């Protein structure tokens, strides 16, 4: 399995909000960083956020623009497309590095418009 295969498997599971599959893909000590100023997240913290976000959205998908194997993992750019609980559609562009070792995700460093993502989370939380 290549690092690209691991990342593809990760995003398929993310779109399906399959937390159990995502947990299998992550190394137990993996860390996830976003440019939102919150610092590193643990696997459990990140999966809790994903489950809340994707579980509340009737539709969520990643449109991959570029995915390239690089030293230590995969670089990817994508647009996240989602439908909020109120029916509004969102699109957020992102760039990320996914560290992969022994067919497990060990690190994610993701850059996105933090204001846009905060608005998506706020809309989802408001609907709950």
């Amino acid at each position: 399995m290549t690092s690209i295969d691991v990342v593809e498997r990760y995003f398929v599971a993310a779109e399906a909000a399959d937390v159990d599959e995502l947990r299998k893909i992550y190394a137990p000590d993996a860390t996830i960083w976003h440019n939102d100023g919150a610092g590193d997240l643990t696997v459990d913290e990140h999966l809790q956020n994903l489950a809340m976000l994707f579980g509340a959205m009737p539709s969520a998908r990643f449109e991959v623009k570029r995915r390239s194997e690089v030293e230590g993992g995969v670089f990817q750019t994508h647009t996240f497309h989602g439908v909020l609980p109120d029916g509004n559609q969102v699109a957020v562009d992102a760039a990320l590095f996914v560290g992969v070792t022994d067919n497990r995700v060990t690190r994610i460093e993701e850059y996105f418009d933090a204001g846009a993502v905060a608005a998506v989370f706020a809309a989802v939380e408001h609907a709950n």
Side-chain angles (χ1 to χ4, degrees):
M1 180 176 288
T2 69
S3 293
I4 295 228
D5 294 332
V6 172
V7 171
E8 174 65 21
R9 185 174 155 221
Y10 175 91
F11 280 96
V12 167
E15 285 181 349
D18 188 342
V19 174
D20 293 333
E21 182 65 15
L22 288 168
R23 189 175 300 285
K24 292 176 191 174
I25 297 167
Y26 273 120
D29 60 348
T31 54
I32 299 88
W33 176 89
H34 299 103
N35 62 306
D36 60 3
D40 286 352
L41 297 176
T42 65
V43 171
D44 287 338
E45 291 167 333
H46 186 62
L47 292 178
Q48 182 179 23
N49 287 344
L50 286 179
M52 187 266 299
L53 180 65
F54 289 171
M57 297 179 83
S59 174
R61 69 178 179 85
F62 295 92
E63 177 188 359
V64 175
K65 306 287 186 170
R66 177 178 172 204
R67 184 180 281 162
S68 302
E69 196 155 9
V70 296
E71 185 177 338
V74 173
F75 172 78
Q76 175 173 303
T77 60
H78 64 253
T79 301
F80 170 77
H81 297 276
V83 176
L84 297 173
D86 65 6
N88 285 322
Q89 295 185 13
V90 296
V92 179
D93 292 321
L96 71 159
F97 168 77
V98 182
V100 177
T101 303
D102 297 328
N103 295 324
R104 306 283 293 273
V105 170
T106 56
R107 175 81 172 160
I108 293 179
E109 296 173 358
E110 185 171 22
Y111 300 83
F112 48 63
D113 178 343
V117 171
V120 169
F121 272 97
V124 167
E125 288 174 357
H126 178 71
N128 288 333

